[in-house]
Amino acid sequence: MANSFDAESLQELKQWLILYRDDGAYKVVSKTFSQDKAVCVTKLLADMHGKTVLSIMEHCKTSSALIDREPLLFAFALCCKTKDKNTRMEAEKLCDKICQTPCDLFQFLKFHNSLSTTKSWGRYLKRLINNWYHNQDTYQLARNVSKEVSYLGWSHRDVLRMGHLKPRTEGKYISIFQGTFEFHLFMY
């Protein structure tokens, strides 16, 4: 499987995304995510099959067989951290579809930061986060900001601070900034 691309590697990827195992058997255990355990994903990304990995991820996210979204989000973080620019551009387009809720976004950020060597965010991640917030309509954004305040140590306030997010319209400003900061003021 060094440079070959076959149906077996695609099947391994699907099994890993759905079951978080390569052998096809699901076991209830605590999951620790690392590149060592995502061998099928890293091999396909190293062989420059990132677009195929992303298309399978897009297909698996709607599958009724998907047990847990964490492997999907970890694989998405690996795709965003790859050196292949085409894969990263495709991942940026699919961010809204893969990270559907704020919890998914915060989980993705946790995985992305665990794969990073620095604490700062680059232009790519800032653009990806900016697009995630701005591609939602105002009502949906207001609901997401108020529904999921924080998760896994991340809050919208932290994401806005790290991503240097600037609103494009007045409605977005009210939804994002006032909704987030006023809610935090009332919380304390």
Side-chain angles (χ1 to χ4, degrees), residues 53-91:
V53 171
L54 287 168
S55 67
I56 290 173
M57 287 171 53
E58 186 178 11
H59 174 71
C60 284
K61 80 166 180 62
T62 59
S63 172
S64 61
L66 188 66
I67 296 170
D68 193 3
R69 292 184 58 82
E70 287 181 343
L72 184 76
L73 295 169
F74 184 74
F76 186 65
L78 285 173
C79 289
C80 290
K81 292 296 288 182
T82 188
K83 296 191 184 333
D84 183 22
K85 290 183 181 180
N86 294 330
T87 302
R88 289 169 54 135
M89 286 173 34
E90 283 295 316

Side-chain angles (χ1 to χ4, degrees), residues 110-121:
K110 176 189 165 205
F111 289 142
H112 192 276
N113 284 349
S114 71
L115 295 170
S116 297
T117 55
T118 63
K119 288 187 176 185
S120 64
W121 290 1

